[in-house]
Amino acid sequence: MIGTMIEGYASLSAAAHFAASAKQVKFYDLDVPFMWNLQGKNLADIGLEIGRGELLLTEEDGIGISAY
């Protein structure tokens, strides 16, 4: 199982990418993004796209956050 508490964008994105890539992870508790106010946020800064009850990984390398 992998879960989060009150995480920032980078650590949540890293947890989501790890969970998606590791077949040993059977359960996810990654609900903190549903508490964020994402008005005006760029997806490249977050590393995730938040859908209706789901997290979608971006196509960026690594943890999904663009390097500047």
Side-chain angles (χ1 to χ4, degrees), residues 9-65:
Y9 304 132
S11 57
L12 190 278
S13 185
H17 280 81
F18 171 75
S21 69
K23 64 182 177 181
Q24 296 87 349
V25 176
K26 303 291 183 199
F27 302 99
Y28 316 124
D29 180 14
L30 304 174
D31 56 357
V32 74
F34 301 105
M35 299 176 221
W36 291 339
N37 178 3
L38 298 175
Q39 293 272 347
K41 293 286 184 188
N42 183 351
L43 288 179
D45 295 335
I46 299 170
L48 300 166
E49 184 176 345
I50 299 158
R52 300 183 80 187
E54 63 184 1
L55 298 176
L56 306 170
L57 303 180
T58 63
E59 296 293 324
E60 294 290 330
D61 293 334
I63 62 170
I65 298 174

